[in-house]
Coordinates of all heavy atoms in Angstrom, one line a residue:
Q218 N 4.7 12.9 18.5 CA 3.3 12.8 18.3 C 3.0 12.8 16.8 O 2.0 12.1 16.3 CB 2.5 14.0 18.9 CG 2.6 14.0 20.4 CD 3.7 14.8 21.0 OE1 4.8 14.9 20.4 NE2 3.4 15.4 22.1
E219 N 3.7 13.7 16.0 CA 3.4 13.7 14.6 C 3.7 12.4 13.8 O 3.0 12.0 13.0 CB 4.3 14.9 14.0 CG 4.0 15.0 12.5 CD 4.8 16.3 11.9 OE1 5.0 17.3 12.7 OE2 5.4 16.1 10.8
E220 N 4.8 11.8 14.2 CA 5.1 10.5 13.6 C 4.0 9.4 13.9 O 3.6 8.7 13.1 CB 6.5 9.9 14.2 CG 7.6 10.6 13.6 CD 8.9 10.1 14.2 OE1 8.9 9.0 14.9 OE2 10.0 10.8 14.1
A221 N 3.6 9.4 15.3 CA 2.5 8.5 15.6 C 1.2 8.7 14.8 O 0.5 7.8 14.4 CB 2.3 8.6 17.2
M222 N 0.9 10.0 14.8 CA -0.4 10.3 14.1 C -0.4 10.0 12.6 O -1.4 9.5 12.1 CB -0.8 11.8 14.2 CG -0.9 12.3 15.7 SD -2.4 11.9 16.4 CE -3.4 13.2 15.7
S223 N 0.7 10.2 11.9 CA 0.8 10.0 10.5 C 1.0 8.6 10.1 O 0.5 8.2 9.0 CB 1.9 10.9 9.8 OG 3.2 10.4 10.4
L224 N 1.6 7.7 10.9 CA 1.9 6.4 10.5 C 1.0 5.3 11.0 O 0.9 4.3 10.4 CB 3.4 6.0 11.0 CG 4.5 6.5 10.2 CD1 5.9 6.3 11.1 CD2 4.7 5.9 8.9
S225 N 0.3 5.6 12.1 CA -0.4 4.5 12.9 C -1.7 4.2 12.4 O -2.6 5.1 12.1 CB -0.4 4.8 14.4 OG 0.9 5.2 14.8
D226 N -2.1 2.9 12.5 CA -3.5 2.5 12.5 C -4.1 2.7 13.9 O -5.3 3.0 14.1 CB -3.6 1.1 12.1 CG -3.2 0.9 10.6 OD1 -3.6 1.5 9.7 OD2 -2.3 -0.1 10.4
H227 N -3.2 2.3 14.8 CA -3.6 2.4 16.3 C -2.5 3.0 17.1 O -1.3 2.8 16.7 CB -4.1 1.1 16.9 CG -5.2 0.4 16.2 ND1 -4.9 -0.6 15.3 CD2 -6.5 0.6 16.3 CE1 -6.1 -1.0 14.8 NE2 -7.1 -0.3 15.4
I228 N -2.8 3.7 18.2 CA -1.8 4.3 19.1 C -2.1 3.8 20.5 O -3.3 3.8 20.9 CB -1.9 5.8 19.1 CG1 -1.5 6.4 17.7 CG2 -0.9 6.4 20.2 CD1 -1.6 7.8 17.6
V229 N -1.0 3.2 21.1 CA -1.1 2.9 22.6 C -0.4 4.1 23.4 O 0.9 4.2 23.2 CB -0.4 1.5 22.9 CG1 -0.4 1.3 24.4 CG2 -1.1 0.5 22.0
L230 N -1.1 4.9 24.1 CA -0.6 6.0 24.7 C -0.3 5.6 26.2 O -1.2 5.2 26.9 CB -1.5 7.2 24.8 CG -1.1 8.4 25.5 CD1 0.2 9.0 24.9 CD2 -2.2 9.5 25.5
L231 N 1.0 5.7 26.5 CA 1.5 5.3 27.9 C 1.8 6.6 28.7 O 2.2 7.6 28.2 CB 2.8 4.5 27.8 CG 2.7 3.1 27.2 CD1 4.0 2.4 27.3 CD2 1.6 2.3 27.7
A232 N 1.6 6.5 30.1 CA 1.9 7.5 31.0 C 2.3 6.8 32.3 O 1.5 6.0 32.8 CB 0.8 8.5 31.2
N233 N 3.5 7.0 32.8 CA 3.9 6.5 34.1 C 3.7 5.0 34.1 O 3.3 4.4 35.1 CB 3.1 7.1 35.2 CG 3.3 8.6 35.3 OD1 4.5 9.1 35.2 ND2 2.2 9.3 35.5
G234 N 4.0 4.3 33.0 CA 4.1 2.9 33.0 C 2.8 2.2 32.8 O 2.6 1.0 32.9
R235 N 1.8 3.0 32.6 CA 0.4 2.4 32.4 C -0.3 2.9 31.1 O 0.1 4.0 30.6 CB -0.5 2.7 33.6 CG 0.1 2.1 34.9 CD -0.9 2.3 36.1 NE -0.4 1.7 37.3 CZ -0.3 0.4 37.6 NH1 -1.0 -0.5 36.8 NH2 0.2 0.0 38.7
V236 N -1.2 2.2 30.6 CA -1.9 2.6 29.4 C -2.9 3.7 29.7 O -3.8 3.5 30.5 CB -2.6 1.4 28.8 CG1 -3.5 1.9 27.6 CG2 -1.6 0.3 28.3
E237 N -2.7 4.8 29.0 CA -3.6 6.0 29.2 C -4.8 5.8 28.4 O -6.0 6.1 28.7 CB -2.9 7.2 29.0 CG -3.7 8.6 29.3 CD -3.6 8.8 30.9 OE1 -2.9 8.1 31.6 OE2 -4.3 9.7 31.3
Q238 N -4.6 5.5 27.0 CA -5.6 5.3 26.2 C -5.2 4.5 24.9 O -4.0 4.6 24.6 CB -6.2 6.6 25.7 CG -7.5 6.5 24.8 CD -8.1 7.8 24.5 OE1 -7.9 8.9 25.2 NE2 -9.1 7.9 23.6
I239 N -6.1 3.7 24.3 CA -5.7 3.1 23.0 C -6.8 3.4 22.1 O -8.0 3.4 22.5 CB -5.6 1.5 23.3 CG1 -4.6 1.2 24.2 CG2 -5.4 0.8 21.9 CD1 -4.6 -0.4 24.5
G240 N -6.4 3.7 20.8 CA -7.3 4.0 19.8 C -6.7 4.4 18.5 O -5.5 4.4 18.4
T241 N -7.6 4.8 17.6 CA -7.0 5.3 16.3 C -6.4 6.7 16.5 O -6.8 7.4 17.5 CB -8.1 5.4 15.2 OG1 -9.1 6.3 15.6 CG2 -8.8 4.0 15.1

Side-chain angles (χ1 to χ4, degrees):
Q218 298 94 326
E219 185 178 319
E220 283 177 19
M222 298 281 280
S223 62
L224 281 169
S225 309
D226 297 309
H227 300 100
I228 295 174
V229 178
L230 179 61
L231 295 186
N233 300 316
R235 297 187 182 275
V236 175
E237 191 79 7
Q238 186 172 347
I239 301 175
T241 65

